[in-house]
Amino acid sequence: MYKKKFLLLHAYFFLCLAESNAQQLPFINYTPSDGLVNNQVRNMYQDSKGRLYFMTFGGLSVFDGARFTNYTQAGGLAIDLVNDVLEITPDSIWVATNTTQLNCLVKGKIITVKTKDGFCPVINSFFKSRAGTIYVAADDGLFVWQDRRFRKLSFLYKGKEGGEFVMQIQEAGKFLLIRHNNSLSKNPGVLFLYDPAQEKIIEADTSLLIFHFARHVNGDIWAATGKGIRILREGDLNKGKIIPEMLPDGYSSVRDIPVSLIKFDQLGSLWLSSYEKGVYFIKNAEPAVLYNVNSGLGSIRISYIFQDREGNYWFLPEGKGAQKLVANNLEFFDRPFPNTMVNDLCAEKESDSVWLLSNNTRKLILSVNGRLKAFTIPADLIYMGRMLAKGFSLYLYNQFSVFSLQVSPGDPKVRITHFFKDTSGLKGNGVIDPNGNLIFSSDSAIHVFLTNKTTFTCPIPFYTDQVAIDKRGVVWVATRSSKLLSFSLHPRDPLHYLQSETDLSEQMPAISPRSVAVDDSGRIWIGTRYKGLYCFRYSANRLNMLYHFTSKEGLTDNSINFLNVDRDNNIWASSPAGLDKLEVMTGRVVIKNITQGNNLSLSFNKVMNDRSGTTWALNESGNLLKVYDRPITRLPFTPQLYIAGIRAGTRLFTDADSIHSFSYRQNNLMISVAAPSFYDEKQVKYSYLLAGSGNKEWTDPSRNADLNLINLSPGQYTLKVKASFPGDRYPEQLLSYSFTIQPPWWKTWWFRLVFIVAAITGIFYLIRLYYQRKLEKQLVILEKKQAIEKERTRIASDMHDDLGAGLSTIRFLSEKVKRNSFSDTTRIDAEKIVSNADELVQNMNEIIWAMNEKNDTLEDLVFYTRAYAMGYCEENQLLCEIQIPDDIPRLFLSGEIRRNVFLTVKESLHNIVKHAAASSVTIQFSMDPSLHVIIHDNGSGFSLSKNTKGGNGLRNMQKRIETLGGVFSVMDGKGLTIEIMIPL
């Protein structure tokens, strides 16, 4: 069920109907179902960011316009009963609970304040003087905050130390006005004037029982007493005197009313709470207006009244949560007439006259500049339907008849003429044209009722709900069948009074029109059944659409019942859900939800404007809404957009300024923003752009103040957030927040650097280990080779020493036998022994040379081979030429290589001597880069056909070379050429 509400800015609406209980305040309720921590709210406070603090019996609620954040004992409060709060620095709020412990709300987290001496009184309220000194009203007396501790001030009264159960402190010039708890204090009702400089009471008043006091803008103190309200003048207080005065005559209506709470708003208006009556509102010493449960208050017992920086009023009815009254220019009347309703209204933007019609009471009410006059319609007049007026000429019409009424302000009688009767049934709405004629729409025709009592009818394709006339006097009709027609007026030709001017039906979209209006700029506005509001401009025989608005763009409803244009060329649209105002500015249209912004959900079927700029809207139930043209009461305040919290995974960060980096596991962020505005806070919209994500488009404006950023990749981001306020009440607010999603540790630069260094180190270590092991193996092999070489050398030495000596002995003995023998046979055998001994010595020397490690060089091989070849060829009368390079590399050659190469050369020379019948041989050595040995003779060559035994010597030589990894080749032509290639 909707809540009826309004803000009464005038004492009375109708002089004859001035009872305030006929008016409904536009209260908006906040309870635990809306997020409030507890229904029993004691006090309210607003910090520098605009956030509201609700102090309750069940904890502390902080409201930023987008969400309630609640704090209880489970969240760090000493106890749940909160007495008062005070902002010390931005984002640092002292919280006094009803115990000897002080909490502080620091950037969204509750901590305990540690005083210098560890003492904290039970604080009832804080008071911060204009000089910035913090005083504390406590159960134990009066304290001041100094040197990080609460110092108790002396409070001597009648020679005794008092001051217990101090409840309220107020600055009065250079002094403090002190009030105690009347129920608990030993001095109930005593009002103290205290000098903090001397720390003593300079005046006390016991004549009145003081319940509350408040400071007027002029410096006077108004006190709520058991005998009514009294004034303590600032001049008297500065002199140290408490002299209660009676209220001036302008406040006589509330002078003697017992009240429990006094509150001055920021415009100087007075609010009084009476536990017996409700809340009184007095503006500019006008008669008091009483608000109670019939006006929408949750209770007549109001514990506190608060006004925020936007001018909104907050009431705390006992046990009913909190109620907000938006400071708007509205009045809503549930029943403006006693026991009846309004059936129709008519207002002209060229006139101050506003007419209201009540059918069942047969009353016409004329309102001119707030002065009202009632006219009675004759009882025999048939049931009336609707009304149109131009000045004091009126038309009353229903589905059967049209009546003309002539009214004179000085004559209570109404002259009535039965103007027209049609039993076919008239419907729709009408207008009065510039010539004073009534133009009325029905099912399939437009009727014109001329002032000379003649009638003109013009057929139209289908039923139309509203007729509009533009500044040129052209009549516009939009039918339900989506036909758009215009007619020109021809007063000089009554028989053809309406003539068709344009038919734009072919250019009209199928939008099912229900209302039409034409503004002073010639724009055609058409309200539809369910597609919102269209705006067209007709130019050069073309109908061009300028705007299309729906609830998505801010309209209260997509069904538009009635349209009207006010004196400032603004468009007013009434719908089944409320009333909207569209202000056409340069290049854009601002939509203001007049009723929705005040939580007023009513169906309005008509809206009109008078010359003063006041808008009148009629509800289907006969209720009346009045919207004043005077500016909305707006205080110099602009909400600031800020980040309320960041949830990253399971962690909540309440201080965005201190966190700008998140781990890769915290790449799903919910960033909660707020722009504390409490004027229709549910219509504040937010959009954002995340730079760094690749998306360069702003999101669509949304009422959701929690921005979800999902699955963010590692990198740097800048979140830009924009807040827009309903009806462009405030400029758009922007904020920018930069943050970084850190990459996983295995993707960080330092890890990559460490990995590269480690990889290089590892590779280096592996290479080093490989070569180390290779060197170790080579060392082992070398050691083995060295051992072998040493063994070879030893064997060679032993062979040289032992076998050589033995063979030499055999040879010498054989020589001796041969010399001393006289037998040819013996001589021949001795010669063989000598020859074999020489050959064995030669072979042994070759073996010893090959085995001796001292000969393991390429140079030794070349020179040893040359020496052998030269000697061998000389013994066998063979001319030998040996070619050796001048520079022989000093390369190591194993004994195996030297022996096989030498034996191959030796075998080649032996074959040349034995088989080639050659006279010369050439041996060529080269080292580029392998060892090449070429042996060429000028003999008869070689052919397998000549050697049927198969050439075992060549095969042995080839095998020797191939075992060394070399290449052995034989070429026959002009002698024989043997080529040996051994890799070095």
Side-chain angles (χ1 to χ4, degrees):
M1 187 176 73
Y2 63 81
K3 302 173 184 176
K4 299 178 180 179
K5 51 187 183 164
F6 79 106
L7 174 61
L8 183 63
L9 299 180
H10 283 275
Y12 292 2
F13 174 45
F14 294 116
L15 297 178
C16 59
L17 305 167
E19 298 180 6
S20 62
N21 59 5
Q23 305 165 356
Q24 298 293 305
L25 290 167
F27 285 115
I28 301 174
N29 298 326
Y30 297 86
T31 65
S33 63
D34 302 295
L36 197 63
V37 68
N38 188 274
N39 254 338
Q40 194 74 22
V41 186
R42 309 182 66 193
N43 205 344
M44 284 185 64
Y45 183 82
Q46 189 171 25
D47 68 9
S48 58
K49 281 190 173 181
R51 295 171 293 198
L52 294 178
Y53 294 77
F54 296 83
M55 292 152 266
T56 79
F57 281 79
L60 177 68
S61 287
V62 183
F63 186 37
D64 60 15
R67 65 193 64 81
F68 280 93
T69 304
N70 297 323
Y71 302 91
T72 62
Q73 191 171 357
L77 284 181
I79 61 172
D80 288 341
L81 178 56
V82 182
N83 289 342
D84 203 3
V85 300
L86 178 68
E87 184 174 26
I88 303 301
T89 61
D91 278 325
S92 181
I93 310 294
W94 272 1
V95 182
T97 58
N98 199 46
T99 187
T100 57
Q101 183 174 316
L102 181 62
N103 292 122
C104 189
L105 181 60
V106 181
K107 295 177 179 178
K109 296 181 180 179
I110 295 289
I111 64 172
T112 300
V113 177
K114 300 296 184 181
T115 61
K116 187 175 182 179
D117 55 4
F119 168 75
C120 178
V122 178
I123 300 172
N124 295 316
S125 65
F126 296 106
F127 179 77
K128 192 172 184 178
S129 71
R130 289 189 292 268
T133 304
I134 298 174
Y135 295 96
V136 167
D139 284 359
D140 295 336
L142 181 64
F143 292 82
V144 62
W145 176 256
Q146 286 181 347
D147 192 24
R148 294 182 54 248
R149 68 185 183 94
F150 292 105
R151 183 174 67 85
K152 187 173 183 179
L153 298 177
S154 175
F155 207 95
L156 290 174
Y157 179 62
K158 294 183 178 180
K160 296 181 180 181
E161 183 69 27
E164 72 282 354
F165 298 106
V166 178
M167 292 300 296
Q168 188 180 4
I169 306 171
Q170 179 61 59
E171 205 164 15
K174 61 183 179 179
F175 304 124
L176 299 177
L177 205 60
I178 308 295
R179 181 179 67 85
H180 290 73
N181 187 314
N182 292 332
S183 301
L184 301 175
S185 174
K186 296 178 181 179
N187 305 302
V190 180
L191 190 64
F192 295 96
L193 192 62
Y194 188 84
D195 186 354
Q198 302 182 53
E199 296 190 17
K200 69 175 185 178
I201 298 171
I202 60 172
E203 180 73 347
D205 184 270
T206 59
S207 63
L208 298 171
L209 183 63
I210 306 298
F211 296 107
H212 192 262
F213 50 70
R215 189 175 185 273
H216 193 274
V217 291
N218 63 7
D220 295 341
I221 303 296
W222 290 44
T225 76
K227 297 180 180 180
I229 301 174
R230 300 293 183 266
I231 297 178
L232 308 178
R233 299 297 181 184
E234 183 182 31
D236 295 334
L237 294 173
N238 280 331
K239 296 176 182 178
K241 302 294 182 180
I242 299 178
I243 304 175
E245 294 184 6
M246 300 294 289
L247 288 178
D249 292 340
Y251 296 91
S252 58
S253 60
V254 295
R255 178 182 294 161
D256 299 322
I257 295 176
V259 296
S260 58
L261 180 69
I262 296 179
K263 177 69 177 181
F264 288 101
D265 64 22
Q266 299 174 52
L267 298 178
S269 299
L270 177 63
W271 295 83
L272 304 174
S273 174
S274 170
Y275 275 6
E276 297 177 357
K277 298 291 185 178
V279 174
Y280 290 91
F281 173 67
I282 304 100
K283 179 181 179 182
N284 298 329
E286 296 175 358
V289 179
L290 174 65
Y291 303 123
N292 50 33
V293 291
N294 293 327
S295 305
L297 280 177
S299 170
I300 61 173
R301 299 177 67 89
I302 303 298
S303 60
Y304 196 71
I305 299 174
F306 179 79
Q307 187 182 29
D308 63 29
R309 291 195 180 96
E310 295 176 279
N312 304 311
Y313 296 100
W314 296 80
F315 300 86
L316 304 181
E318 289 189 355
K320 301 292 185 179
Q323 292 183 291
K324 180 180 70 176
L325 187 63
V326 176
N328 210 331
N329 51 345
L330 299 182
E331 287 181 339
F332 177 72
F333 297 88
D334 192 9
R335 285 290 187 267
F337 292 103
N339 304 317
T340 188
M341 63 181 67
V342 175
N343 295 98
D344 201 4
L345 69 86
C346 185
E348 303 173 78
K349 60 183 179 181
E350 299 88 4
S351 172
D352 291 329
S353 300
V354 179
W355 294 91
L356 304 171
L357 172 66
S358 174
N359 283 334
N360 62 339
T361 60
R362 305 286 176 168
K363 294 290 185 182
L364 275 176
I365 302 295
L366 172 63
S367 172
V368 180
N369 296 326
R371 296 187 299 272
L372 306 176
K373 184 174 180 61
F375 299 89
T376 302
I377 305 299
D380 59 349
L381 194 65
I382 65 171
Y383 177 78
M384 295 168 291
R386 299 188 179 182
M387 169 183 59
L388 281 174
K390 189 172 182 64
F392 287 90
S393 298
L394 290 86
Y395 290 98
L396 301 182
Y397 57 91
N398 57 25
Q399 58 181 337
F400 300 111
S401 300
V402 178
F403 296 90
S404 173
L405 284 72
Q406 292 296 320
V407 179
S408 174
D411 188 355
K413 294 182 180 180
V414 179
R415 293 186 297 275
I416 302 175
T417 303
H418 192 208
F419 202 79
F420 177 78
K421 185 174 183 180
D422 187 348
T423 58
S424 64
L426 298 172
K427 297 180 181 179
N429 290 285
V431 295
I432 297 179
D433 68 14
N435 305 308
N437 301 312
L438 172 64
I439 300 178
F440 189 93
S441 64
S442 65
D443 276 345
S444 299
I446 299 294
H447 300 278
V448 181
F449 304 104
L450 304 177
T451 55
N452 62 4
K453 298 184 179 181
T454 61
T455 303
F456 174 81
T457 301
C458 179
I460 56 175
F462 200 66
Y463 178 69
T464 184
D465 293 84
Q466 188 176 358
V467 178
I469 299 181
D470 64 18
K471 289 182 67 175
R472 299 181 296 121
V474 175
V475 178
W476 291 87
V477 174
T479 70
R480 291 191 177 187
S481 59
S482 299
K483 306 291 184 181
L484 182 61
L485 311 170
S486 69
F487 301 89
S488 57
L489 302 178
H490 299 272
R492 297 182 181 180
D493 187 4
L495 296 178
H496 303 89
Y497 188 77
L498 283 183
Q499 296 183 20
S500 177
E501 186 172 271
T502 58
D503 184 351
L504 303 175
S505 303
E506 297 295 329
Q507 302 180 43
M508 268 282 288
I511 56 177
S512 187
R514 289 296 185 271
S515 53
V516 62
V518 183
D519 64 23
D520 295 341
S521 300
R523 291 180 290 255
I524 304 169
W525 298 82
I526 297 179
T528 69
R529 174 67 182 86
Y530 53 85
K531 291 186 177 181
L533 180 62
Y534 286 82
C535 178
F536 300 93
R537 183 179 293 280
Y538 176 65
S539 176
N541 296 321
R542 295 296 303 170
L543 187 66
N544 301 307
M545 188 175 75
L546 302 179
Y547 308 108
H548 178 210
F549 301 108
T550 64
S551 57
K552 182 179 179 181
E553 285 73 37
L555 285 180
T556 301
D557 196 281
N558 286 332
S559 179
I560 308 299
N561 294 333
F562 197 89
L563 290 172
N564 195 46
V565 183
D566 67 14
R567 63 176 187 175
D568 297 320
N569 214 30
N570 301 313
I571 308 300
W572 293 79
S574 63
S575 69
L579 183 66
D580 294 324
K581 178 183 179 182
L582 288 85
E583 296 181 355
V584 184
M585 302 180 180
T586 305
R588 64 192 184 101
V589 177
V590 176
I591 300 175
K592 296 185 176 181
N593 307 123
I594 302 300
T595 52
Q596 187 183 62
N598 291 276
N599 199 27
L600 186 64
S601 179
L602 292 172
S603 177
F604 292 94
N605 53 21
K606 196 170 187 180
V607 57
M608 303 195 81
N609 309 88
D610 63 21
R611 187 169 63 183
S612 67
T614 302
T615 300
W616 306 72
L618 183 63
N619 170 244
E620 288 184 352
S621 301
N623 305 318
L624 193 64
L625 179 71
K626 188 176 179 182
V627 185
Y628 293 99
D629 182 56
R630 59 177 173 266
I632 295 174
T633 302
R634 186 180 302 178
L635 300 174
F637 172 79
T638 300
Q640 300 300 310
L641 181 62
Y642 71 98
I643 295 178
I646 302 174
R647 183 169 294 279
T650 58
R651 295 194 61 187
L652 177 62
F653 302 94
T654 55
D655 182 17
D657 293 334
S658 64
I659 179 69
H660 292 274
S661 180
F662 302 91
S663 75
Y664 70 95
R665 292 190 181 93
Q666 297 173 324
N667 64 337
N668 293 328
L669 302 180
M670 185 179 74
I671 300 180
S672 300
V673 298
S677 169
F678 306 101
Y679 174 80
D680 198 10
E681 68 271 8
K682 293 182 179 179
Q683 299 303 317
V684 178
K685 294 184 178 181
Y686 304 90
S687 58
Y688 69 91
L689 170 66
L690 185 61
S693 65
N695 188 0
K696 298 183 179 179
E697 299 292 331
W698 286 83
T699 61
D700 293 332
S702 168
R703 297 184 182 94
N704 187 8
D706 296 323
L707 315 178
N708 290 292
L709 309 178
I710 306 299
N711 198 24
L712 296 177
S713 302
Q716 294 182 341
Y717 298 90
T718 297
L719 176 66
K720 299 178 181 179
V721 186
K722 179 168 53 180
S724 57
F725 300 91
D728 281 4
R729 183 178 177 89
Y730 303 109
E732 285 187 341
Q733 295 298 300
L734 297 171
L735 70 80
S736 180
Y737 172 67
S738 298
F739 64 94
T740 301
I741 301 295
Q742 297 293 342
W745 58 268
W746 60 86
K747 291 185 179 180
T748 58
W749 66 268
W750 57 265
F751 174 79
R752 292 177 178 175
L753 179 61
V754 170
F755 178 78
I756 292 172
V757 172
I760 293 174
T761 303
I763 293 172
F764 174 77
Y765 175 76
L766 292 175
I767 293 174
R768 183 175 180 275
L769 182 63
Y770 168 77
Y771 282 105
Q772 185 177 2
R773 292 187 177 180
K774 185 176 180 181
L775 289 174
E776 289 176 355
K777 291 181 180 179
Q778 291 177 346
L779 182 60
V780 171
I781 295 172
L782 182 59
E783 289 176 349
K784 290 181 178 180
K785 288 183 176 181
Q786 288 177 344
I788 293 173
E789 295 300 330
K790 289 180 180 179
E791 186 64 19
R792 286 166 48 198
T793 302
R794 185 189 63 79
I795 294 173
S797 298
D798 292 344
M799 290 175 62
H800 182 273
D801 294 340
D802 296 335
L803 294 179
L807 289 174
S808 297
T809 301
I810 292 172
R811 182 174 181 277
F812 291 147
L813 292 175
S814 299
E815 285 287 344
K816 184 178 179 180
V817 171
K818 185 178 74 169
R819 286 195 304 269
N820 297 329
S821 174
F822 299 102
S823 171
D824 292 335
T825 300
T826 301
R827 188 180 298 110
I828 293 172
D829 290 337
E831 287 179 356
K832 289 181 179 180
I833 292 173
V834 172
S835 176
N836 289 333
D838 288 337
E839 186 175 354
L840 287 173
V841 170
Q842 179 63 33
N843 291 338
M844 184 188 69
N845 288 334
E846 293 173 1
I847 293 173
I848 291 172
W849 170 81
M851 291 177 63
N852 195 336
E853 63 179 354
K854 295 180 180 179
N855 302 319
D856 287 346
T857 63
L858 178 60
E859 187 178 32
D860 289 330
L861 171 63
V862 173
F863 289 145
Y864 186 83
T865 304
R866 184 186 67 173
Y868 170 80
M870 293 297 291
Y872 184 79
C873 290
E874 184 178 354
E875 289 178 358
N876 291 281
Q877 291 80 40
L878 186 64
L879 183 62
C880 181
E881 179 184 358
I882 298 177
Q883 299 176 3
I884 300 175
D886 295 333
D887 186 14
I888 300 175
R890 295 190 60 83
L891 298 176
F892 170 81
L893 292 180
S894 65
E896 181 183 7
I897 296 176
R898 290 187 290 109
R899 182 172 179 275
N900 286 328
V901 172
F902 173 75
L903 291 178
T904 301
V905 174
K906 179 182 178 181
E907 182 69 20
S908 298
L909 292 175
H910 176 72
N911 289 337
I912 292 172
V913 171
K914 185 177 180 180
H915 303 291
S919 60
S920 66
V921 63
T922 301
I923 302 175
Q924 180 180 358
F925 291 92
S926 64
M927 303 87 181
D928 187 23
S930 301
L931 174 60
H932 285 261
V933 181
I934 301 174
I935 305 168
H936 176 71
D937 65 79
N938 59 354
S940 58
F942 176 76
S943 175
L944 288 177
S945 61
K946 299 178 182 178
N947 188 3
T948 58
K949 293 183 180 181
N952 289 328
L954 289 175
R955 281 195 293 271
N956 289 338
M957 288 189 290
Q958 183 177 3
K959 186 176 181 181
R960 287 179 184 276
I961 299 305
E962 289 178 352
T963 57
L964 301 178
V967 177
F968 178 85
S969 60
V970 179
M971 292 176 289
D972 190 7
K974 296 182 180 181
L976 189 68
T977 301
I978 297 175
E979 184 175 357
I980 303 169
M981 184 185 72
I982 305 296
L984 296 176

